Amino acid sequence: MTDPLTPLAGKQILLGVTGGIAVYKSVELLRLLKKAGAGVDVVMTEAARQFVGKTTFEVLSENPVITDLWADSHASVAHIDVASRCDAAVIAPATANCIAKMAHGIADDALTTTFLAVTSPVMLCPSMNTDMYQNIRVQRNLDILEKDGVYILDPDDGVLACKTVGAGRLPEPWFIFDRICRMLSSKDFTGKSVLVSAGPTLEPIDPVRYVSNHSSGKMGYAIARAAEMRGAAVTLVTGPVSLDPPAGVETVHVQTCQDMADAMLSKMDGADIIIKVAAVADFRPKKQESVKIKKTSGQDEMILTLVQNPDILQRMGQLKRPDQFLVGFAAETNDLAANARKKIQKKNLDMIAANLVGAADSGFKADTNKVTLFFKDGSQKEIGLMDKQAVAHILLDAILVQVS
Ligand code: PMT
């Protein structure tokens, strides 16, 4: 059973490297895989070695690099050994030539021969000039591979080494790494649709000032990422934060409570599980000035009138169907259990995750959180202080028990 937090620990990855300028990114990918506890076997084409020598891969992988079917001792068949022992295989970068050979089962070098013997999940990361990538023959070969069950990671858009601007860049190593983790994660949320809200809302006073709070989005983004890794179709509605949207997640950016209410309510119908992590501003300025409010001389104070925002979670609790599972978060500075239980009742929730805010290692902004889960049947489960990604997985485990 794969640990959702460390899906690569103890796994064996086969890394194929073909000849493109992006080979330098494969070196970093190899480093990330090793750091995550995976064993890595590398197989390189001759063209790949024109860009980076095999010694770099050998030193970092701590394994011999396969480059030639005839170079090894014939007492064992190295390329078959590495193909059969891998838990997942990835080719990064994958050239048009390699893609064409893979699509048609051609095995005329060490890399294509090795990959033909792989029975575990395979990911290809195409990387080439935009015109080559968009060529109908390359696209046709990618379609064939995709239909065969190979996972194709789309290249990024950007300025390429040949100065072309367009699709063809190898995605960043951390992103390829993230997708490999997903390949190896157990998919216990397959078929489930999860709607998550995250971050603060921002309520304008005038064009340059606003009312908001300290939410960084880390807790909500961790839940969205964990659910996507576990196979859910995830939509994330997020207030303004400085985090990258999680891969594979439909992300909707909003600003105010009203924007968030509109987005959440419009997505609610299609969701099986709704997790409302966002720190919504309870109040907004009664009047939003269209020009910057000026300070007048002799003015010692300014009175800002606030009016109540709609309570999105409460509204969702009223609208919720019996087959939907609704989770709230409670940010409390005191009386955690009593306040959390009140919110379960008042907002018609199935579960609430209560965290103490105000401590440096829990709640807003921190990388860790200390959460207690309260269920509508009166039971509760304490989660010790841990990384927000770990909290996310435990919370999802608890939801799965309730919805299965
Ligand atoms: O983003 P981070 O920096 O990682 O911090 C995480 C967090 C502390 C923001 C998160 O763990 C958390 O506690 N989120 C809920 C914050 C909050 O608004 O709590 P509350 O007790 O005020 O609200 C209870 C619930 O009602 C929440 O699910 C909230 O989303 C919802 N609500 C509140 C007000 C409102 N107008 N509409 C709502 O939907």
Side-chain angles (χ1 to χ4, degrees):
M1 179 77 177
T2 305
D3 179 348
L5 269 176
T6 54
L8 287 173
K11 301 285 187 211
Q12 195 65 30
I13 308 297
L14 176 62
L15 174 60
V17 187
T18 68
I21 187 68
V23 170
Y24 72 95
K25 289 187 181 171
S26 325
V27 176
E28 179 59 16
L29 174 62
L30 167 56
R31 239 180 42 78
L32 293 173
L33 294 169
K34 289 291 290 180
K35 202 170 151 205
V40 185
D41 292 303
V42 180
V43 50
M44 296 177 81
T45 61
E46 197 188 326
R49 283 179 289 134
Q50 298 292 325
F51 292 92
V52 178
K54 75 169 186 174
T55 313
T56 306
F57 287 94
E58 229 149 43
V59 171
L60 291 173
S61 69
E62 302 170 279
N63 273 323
V65 168
I66 298 176
T67 57
D68 184 346
L69 291 176
W70 310 107
D72 309 314
S73 139
H74 299 293
S76 69
V77 187
H79 68 284
I80 299 296
D81 289 349
V82 298
S84 54
R85 77 174 179 173
C86 71
D87 296 294
V90 54
I91 303 184
T95 57
N97 183 43
C98 156
I99 290 165
K101 289 196 230 172
M102 292 271 295
H104 298 282
I106 295 170
D108 65 351
D109 61 13
L111 186 142
T112 47
T113 307
T114 306
F115 270 75
L116 211 51
V118 170
T119 54
S120 50
V122 176
M123 181 165 105
L124 281 193
C125 309
S127 169
M128 64 198 77
N129 160 272
T130 306
D131 291 332
M132 286 171 75
Y133 175 66
Q134 286 169 348
N135 187 295
I136 182 74
R137 277 156 278 175
V138 172
Q139 288 302 316
R140 196 162 46 221
N141 288 334
L142 287 171
D143 280 352
I144 291 173
L145 288 162
E146 199 157 32
K147 284 191 188 111
D148 286 350
V150 173
Y151 176 57
I152 309 293
L153 189 67
D154 291 339
D156 283 350
D157 281 7
V159 183
L160 306 181
C162 55
K163 309 279 186 289
T164 311
V165 179
R169 275 171 68 92
L170 186 70
E172 292 308 314
W174 67 263
F175 188 81
I176 303 174
F177 171 82
D178 185 85
R179 297 298 79 192
I180 297 171
C181 288
R182 186 181 189 276
M183 275 208 305
L184 288 170
S185 296
S186 64
K187 302 289 183 299
D188 49 3
F189 272 71
T190 300
K192 306 228 175 320
S193 167
V194 179
L195 175 61
V196 182
S197 75
T201 66
L202 196 148
E203 312 293 335
I205 298 169
D206 68 12
V208 297
R209 303 180 181 93
Y210 55 82
V211 174
S212 190
N213 58 63
H214 292 297
S215 172
S216 64
K218 285 178 187 170
M219 191 64 250
Y221 277 54
I223 291 171
R225 178 172 186 266
E228 196 271 341
M229 287 269 175
R230 291 169 70 159
V234 182
T235 302
L236 172 66
V237 175
T238 174
V241 297
S242 57
L243 303 174
D244 286 327
V249 168
E250 181 199 2
T251 305
V252 181
H253 295 274
V254 297
Q255 181 162 308
T256 63
C257 168
Q258 191 56 57
D259 297 341
M260 185 169 278
D262 293 345
M264 290 296 283
L265 293 170
S266 77
K267 299 279 179 191
M268 183 176 178
D269 242 13
D272 302 308
I273 298 160
I274 301 152
I275 311 173
K276 193 123 196 337
V277 196
V280 183
D282 284 321
F283 296 93
R284 66 177 186 279
K286 185 171 183 182
K287 187 155 183 268
Q288 185 190 331
E289 301 294 342
S290 57
V291 292
K292 184 180 168 196
I293 300 168
K294 293 277 179 238
K295 179 173 71 179
T296 50
S297 66
Q299 182 185 13
D300 285 339
E301 60 179 35
M302 180 191 148
I303 294 170
L304 185 67
T305 306
L306 301 175
V307 292
Q308 217 177 85
N309 263 331
D311 191 313
I312 308 167
L313 187 61
Q314 191 163 340
R315 182 73 191 127
M316 293 182 112
Q318 290 158 356
L319 296 172
K320 155 174 116 74
R321 299 189 306 262
D323 62 314
Q324 291 179 308
F325 195 83
L326 184 59
V327 181
F329 263 70
E332 307 294 344
T333 51
N334 55 293
D335 299 330
L336 191 77
N339 287 328
R341 287 193 201 291
K342 261 190 233 153
K343 282 178 188 170
I344 287 206
Q345 296 302 327
K346 186 171 169 213
K347 304 195 186 195
N348 189 27
L349 308 178
D350 296 294
M351 178 176 131
I352 196 159
N355 42 200
L356 274 178
V357 290
D361 56 1
S362 174
F364 292 109
K365 293 201 275 199
D367 288 332
T368 48
N369 207 1
K370 192 166 189 302
V371 171
T372 305
L373 304 179
F374 295 88
F375 301 90
K376 75 169 171 204
D377 65 4
S379 60
Q380 67 183 71
K381 177 184 168 70
E382 196 150 329
I383 306 177
L385 182 71
M386 57 182 78
D387 188 88
K388 282 182 176 167
Q389 202 63 51
V391 173
H393 280 290
I394 294 173
L395 179 126
L396 290 176
D397 291 343
I399 293 174
L400 207 55
V401 169
Q402 301 284 321
V403 299
S404 311

